[in-house]
Amino acid sequence: MNNEQIMNLLQEISEVQAAGNYVSFTCNNFGIEVFVMRGEIKKSKERDRTFFFRKMSSEKRTEEMYQECLEYLGKMKETV
């Protein structure tokens, strides 16, 4: 992922969080992980979806996962 995509992803995450959902964003030397939970975080709840962008993944796979993640986050904003 390039810096523009990461910043765009962070903007989407911020909007989903502002709508009352829990989203975790972790970035390290291995990759980026985004996990999403509808509503507030609770110990008894399962996360709705997890996206993991590995640095070793192909550019095509990373782009597919990026688009899938953005679409999912967009739906989270619409359905709250």
Side-chain angles (χ1 to χ4, degrees):
M1 290 177 76
N2 62 43
N3 289 341
E4 184 178 333
Q5 289 173 315
I6 293 170
M7 294 304 292
N8 191 29
L9 185 59
L10 287 170
Q11 179 64 40
E12 287 293 310
I13 288 170
S14 177
E15 291 174 16
V16 170
Q17 289 173 327
N21 298 296
Y22 180 82
V23 182
S24 173
F25 174 87
T26 305
C27 182
N28 57 41
N29 290 342
F30 191 66
I32 294 172
E33 179 183 39
V34 177
F35 80 79
V36 184
M37 184 180 292
R38 187 172 305 282
E40 293 184 23
I41 189 166
K42 293 182 183 171
K43 206 174 194 180
S44 61
K45 277 176 85 172
E46 295 278 330
R47 63 182 85 173
D48 290 325
R49 193 73 192 269
T50 301
F51 299 91
F52 194 72
F53 304 90
R54 290 181 178 85
K55 290 197 176 188
M56 294 182 192
S57 294
S58 70
E59 215 175 290
K60 180 183 179 203
R61 178 65 187 132
T62 299
E63 181 62 27
E64 289 170 352
M65 180 71 70
Y66 172 73
Q67 292 301 325
E68 189 178 327
C69 184
L70 287 180
E71 287 175 23
Y72 189 81
L73 292 171
K75 289 177 186 174
M76 290 288 289
K77 289 188 301 188
E78 294 171 4
T79 58
V80 173

